[in-house]
Amino acid sequence: MNWLHLVSYFWGGAFLANATPHLVSGLRGEPFQTPFATPRGEGLSSSTVNVLWGFFNVTVGYLLVCRVGEFALLDTADVVALGLGALILGFFLARRFGQFHGGNTPTGS
């Protein structure tokens, strides 16, 4: 197993995880934070920009996972690397976007 492939799968998982909120917001027609907003990463970008940014993230994720080495769903190391990338970036995104959308301080019902 080439460790550089595992690093690629880790970052592929991170890019695929990052694609999700942007594509979902964009496809729902809602604005969401992107690196292109003002202030950067805090302001809202249009749904169209979010679809484009999400698609870019899917493309990079695909290239990192499917075009580097031979990713195998039955290879535990490959899946763990991809999953850790998605999980770690997911935690980061939850905290980052939660500060703008109330997710960091939920209120009880």
Side-chain angles (χ1 to χ4, degrees):
M1 171 54 55
N2 185 339
W3 69 272
L4 287 174
H5 293 171
L6 295 178
V7 171
S8 177
Y9 303 154
F10 175 89
W11 286 107
F15 274 93
L16 292 172
N18 191 46
T20 304
H22 297 288
L23 283 175
V24 169
S25 294
L27 293 172
R28 291 184 61 188
E30 298 173 350
F32 196 68
Q33 289 84 10
T34 70
F36 311 108
T38 303
R40 187 176 183 155
E42 294 181 16
L44 298 176
S45 291
S46 71
S47 56
T48 303
V49 169
N50 273 283
V51 168
L52 292 171
W53 183 238
F55 186 78
F56 171 80
N57 278 270
V58 167
T59 302
V60 173
Y62 163 78
L63 293 172
L64 290 171
V65 174
C66 297
R67 306 298 286 178
V68 173
E70 293 187 24
F71 181 84
L73 283 174
L74 297 178
D75 186 334
T76 302
D78 290 357
V79 173
V80 167
L82 182 122
L84 280 175
L87 180 66
I88 290 170
L89 189 74
F91 279 134
F92 170 76
L93 294 176
R95 298 298 299 166
R96 176 76 175 141
F97 295 141
Q99 74 185 16
F100 301 112
H101 301 282
N104 293 342
T105 55
T107 58
S109 47

